[in-house]
């Protein structure tokens, strides 16, 4: 039990280093998100984002790592949802900082929503 707590504390330190920056998250429950990290849960599995956008699908990136570094090469063929002021995600599998270039491309995508 104590070893598990130490692992959680170490993971929280890694995640908290990204506090205040724009990140990409691949959630195990709700897909791929980008946003500014503004908070975490006690064990690091809950993340709070501001300026959050869900990426439903993308064209022109191999995977989430490529997407976080380079953005998508075909933003007009990608589906990025409307920006949400605040979002809380419970559970994630992958987390990476967004480069300025990737952020510009992703946030430059048309905001899709139900019409």
């Amino acid at each position: 039990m104590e070893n598990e707590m130490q692992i959680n504390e170490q993971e929280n330190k890694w995640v908290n280093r990204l506090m205040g920056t724009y990140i990409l998250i691949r959630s195990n429950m709700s897909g791929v998100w980008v946003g500014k990290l503004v908070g975490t849960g006690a064990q690091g599995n809950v993340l709070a984002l501001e300026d959050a956008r869900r990426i439903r699908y993308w064209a022109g990136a191999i995977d989430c790592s490529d997407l976080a570094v380079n953005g998508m090469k075909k933003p007009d063929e990608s589906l990025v949802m409307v920006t949400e002021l605040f979002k809380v995600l419970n559970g994630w599998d992958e987390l990476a900082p967004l480069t300025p270039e990737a952020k510009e491309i992703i946030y430059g995508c048309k905001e899709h929503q139900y019409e």
Side-chain angles (χ1 to χ4, degrees):
M1 181 67 102
E2 186 174 321
N3 191 29
E4 188 175 321
M5 286 181 61
Q6 289 172 335
I7 291 170
N8 285 340
E9 287 175 12
Q10 184 63 43
E11 289 174 353
N12 265 350
K13 286 180 186 177
W14 296 330
V15 172
N16 285 332
R17 288 176 56 195
L18 297 171
M19 197 66 64
T21 66
Y22 279 82
I23 61 172
L24 179 140
I25 300 164
R26 184 171 60 85
S27 169
N28 58 14
M29 300 296 280
S30 63
V32 177
W33 291 84
V34 293
K36 182 178 178 182
L37 181 63
V38 295
T40 64
Q43 296 180 344
N45 61 329
V46 176
L47 302 174
L49 301 176
E50 288 180 350
D51 198 24
R53 294 189 76 184
R54 184 192 312 246
I55 302 174
R56 300 295 281 184
Y57 60 83
W58 63 85
I62 295 170
D63 57 15
C64 288
S65 298
D66 190 17
L67 193 60
V69 173
N70 300 308
M72 62 278 278
K73 301 289 186 215
K74 300 178 181 179
D76 292 341
E77 297 176 29
S78 302
L79 184 64
V80 183
M81 304 311 291
V82 65
T83 302
E84 296 183 49
L85 183 61
F86 189 78
K87 189 73 175 180
V88 176
L89 300 172
N90 185 10
W92 55 274
D93 293 314
E94 187 174 353
L95 185 145
L98 280 181
T99 64
E101 296 81 15
K103 180 182 176 225
E104 183 177 337
I105 291 168
I106 293 168
Y107 280 88
C109 288
K110 178 184 175 195
E111 291 188 339
H112 288 273
Q113 61 188 341
Y114 183 78
E115 296 179 14

